[in-house]
Amino acid sequence: MLALAGGIKQLGKSGVGDPLPWALLLIAVVALTVFVRRQLRLDNPLLQVRLFAKPAFSVAATAIFLPMVGMGAILFLVTQWFQYGEGYTPLEAGVRLLPAPLALIAASMVAPSLMQRFAIRHVLGAGLVVLAAGMALPWAFQQFAELGYPAFAAALTVIGLGAGTATTVASVTLVSAAPAAEVSSAAAIEETCYELGSAMGVAVLGSTAAALYRSNLPALDLDGPAAAAVRDSVGEAAHTAERLGGAVGRALLESASHAYTLAITPLPCRPRAVRQVNHHRNC
């Protein structure tokens, strides 16, 4: 898994021409293949791979994994956008993420009642559709107005509702589909799907956003180390802008913020001045 995540991240950083990410991905494929084959031979495996032969179990595991890919990536990317695109402090950015977990908690409390009234597959499917709609909301908002926190607050709320509904239904289905003797293994797989989904979301979509950020950066009139730092991430660009200060620092921060906004949104956005705040991470 380390080789897989590292290969994906390195691929987004150095591109397809670098042999290192392909070597890491090859190591991941070989190692994971050996691992799965060994688990199938053991009497007491670490991962009960045979559980995935049950369609209900596989669908439930996938329905946990995919929402967590979206949630992990969205929370990772939007947190950075709040800080470096909108100029919020880390605490302010964290508070503005609350719509997602609050909506997720509310949805997980309502989901059992929905499962009693409607077919489980319908509730699960509806949750996934709502999650997808939440991820598309910023794009829809861009059609009519400049992208800002209200659009992301609405999107985070809808994403939380969809993810909470889908993962709650999927968790119940996953454990129910396992034989009584394998319930503990099913619960372990369920937790792994949550953690692995979040990690893969950051690795895959985070690396994609980083690559798009670099492609959207304008030509930089900086020396080698400073230019490399700015291209590395929007966070490094903010630190570099803080060191430069003055009009040059402000222009650099606005260019980096605009490039990052373009990276995480599907349509071009008008550049906007970043709110100036006085804290250690932003100008």
Side-chain angles (χ1 to χ4, degrees), residues 59-140:
V59 170
T62 304
I64 295 173
F65 175 78
L66 291 179
M68 295 313 299
V69 169
M71 284 283 290
I74 289 294
L75 295 179
F76 173 72
L77 297 173
V78 172
T79 300
Q80 294 189 76
W81 185 77
F82 283 163
Q83 293 183 62
Y84 304 120
E86 294 292 275
Y88 295 122
T89 66
L91 178 59
E92 290 171 337
V95 170
R96 283 165 174 78
L97 290 176
L98 283 176
L102 292 178
L104 190 148
I105 292 171
S108 65
M109 296 173 66
V110 174
S113 299
L114 296 176
M115 293 171 64
Q116 294 177 357
R117 296 186 59 184
F118 305 102
I120 290 179
R121 63 180 181 275
H122 294 160
V123 180
L124 177 59
L128 294 175
V129 169
V130 171
L131 172 64
M135 297 183 72
L137 264 183
W139 172 82

Side-chain angles (χ1 to χ4, degrees), residues 79-93 234-243 245 249-250 253-254 257 274-283:
T79 300
Q80 294 189 76
W81 185 77
F82 283 163
Q83 293 183 62
Y84 304 120
E86 294 292 275
Y88 295 122
T89 66
L91 178 59
E92 290 171 337
V234 66
E236 288 298 324
H239 290 308
T240 303
E242 188 175 11
R243 289 196 300 270
R250 288 194 296 272
L253 182 58
E254 289 183 9
S257 299
V274 179
R275 185 166 64 93
Q276 301 298 302
V277 294
N278 183 23
H279 63 93
H280 70 284
R281 295 193 65 183
N282 297 78
C283 297

Side-chain angles (χ1 to χ4, degrees), residues 127-283:
L128 294 175
V129 169
V130 171
L131 172 64
M135 297 183 72
L137 264 183
W139 172 82
F141 194 92
Q142 276 185 297
Q143 309 297 312
F144 307 101
E146 185 175 299
L147 194 65
Y149 177 68
F152 276 106
L156 289 171
T157 301
V158 177
I159 288 171
L161 291 173
T165 302
T167 55
T168 300
V169 176
S171 295
V172 173
T173 304
L174 184 144
V175 175
S176 301
E182 301 290 349
V183 167
S184 58
S185 296
I189 291 173
E190 174 198 9
E191 182 63 23
T192 301
C193 289
Y194 280 105
E195 302 296 339
L196 184 60
S198 297
M200 287 296 103
V202 173
V204 176
L205 298 181
S207 298
T208 302
L212 292 173
Y213 160 75
R214 286 189 287 272
S215 68
N216 285 310
L217 274 175
L220 301 173
D221 187 17
L222 300 171
D223 57 23
V230 171
R231 292 184 61 80
D232 187 60
S233 69
V234 66
E236 288 298 324
H239 290 308
T240 303
E242 188 175 11
R243 289 196 300 270
L244 293 174
V248 174
R250 288 194 296 272
L252 173 59
L253 182 58
E254 289 183 9
S255 296
S257 299
H258 182 55
Y260 188 75
T261 302
L262 290 174
I264 66 171
T265 52
L267 291 178
C269 306
R270 294 187 298 275
R272 51 192 282 178
V274 179
R275 185 166 64 93
Q276 301 298 302
V277 294
N278 183 23
H279 63 93
H280 70 284
R281 295 193 65 183
N282 297 78
C283 297

